[in-house]
Amino acid sequence: MSEKRELRVEKIKDGTVIDHITAGTALAVLRILGITGREGFIVSVLMNVPSGKLGKKDIVKVEGRELAPEEVDRIALVAPNATINIIRNFEVARKERVKPPSMITGVLKCPNVACITNSREPIKPTFHVEGEGENLRLRCYYCGTIMSREEFLKQF
Ligand code: CTP
Ligand code: ZN
């Protein structure tokens, strides 16, 4: 091949790189973070790129905005191996693994139609986070219904 191989997305100057996202879940990650693209930041999304560690992975780069790891931990629900890299002046200033929260409130709906969180009561759906990695599951705080990763991924 005469063509030179190029980087898919160039390095960023300032912002956040979420790396090692489970392949195919980058859009779910953006939804969990509430990033729509209308905020005006430059956002690069790479899906199913080759990765030594995982075979394939997704990457999200948000320029001009530092996402606090605490703010980002919810993405551990869909991307348990993700790393958060805070970039300052082209250097990785901080790198952290995401940690799943022990509870999650107000983001997902309970699949049990009879659950009190699906009635007119002003009760926010709340789930205990159980298990880890690909076996992570959510248990409704109110009715005990279990949602597998496959099930709650569909809600994002
Ligand atoms: N990155 C970027 N812009 C920068 C610096 C880094 O977009 N100015 C990206 C890299 O492309 C990589 C991620 O941020 O996807 C982490 O960078 P780095 O720590 O340099 O890469 P690795 O050592 O490969 O990371 P890890 O050990 O977490 O696999
Ligand atoms: Zn419930």
Side-chain angles (χ1 to χ4, degrees), residues 9-13 17 19-20 53 57 59 61 83 85 87 89-92 95:
V9 173
E10 61 192 8
K11 294 207 176 289
I12 66 171
K13 182 168 187 288
V17 175
D19 197 0
H20 305 295
K53 262 186 248 173
K57 67 175 178 180
I59 307 173
K61 301 190 182 195
T83 48
N85 298 275
I87 312 294
N89 201 21
F90 291 106
E91 299 291 327
V92 177
K95 183 191 289 282

Side-chain angles (χ1 to χ4, degrees), residues 89-105:
N89 201 21
F90 291 106
E91 299 291 327
V92 177
R94 186 172 174 193
K95 183 191 289 282
E96 287 191 37
R97 296 284 303 268
V98 292
K99 302 173 286 299
S102 55
M103 303 269 276
I104 178 156
T105 295

Side-chain angles (χ1 to χ4, degrees), residues 2 16 28 30 33 54 61 108 119 151:
S2 58
T16 307
L30 289 175
L33 295 175
L54 304 167
K61 301 190 182 195
L108 291 151
S119 69
E151 283 175 285

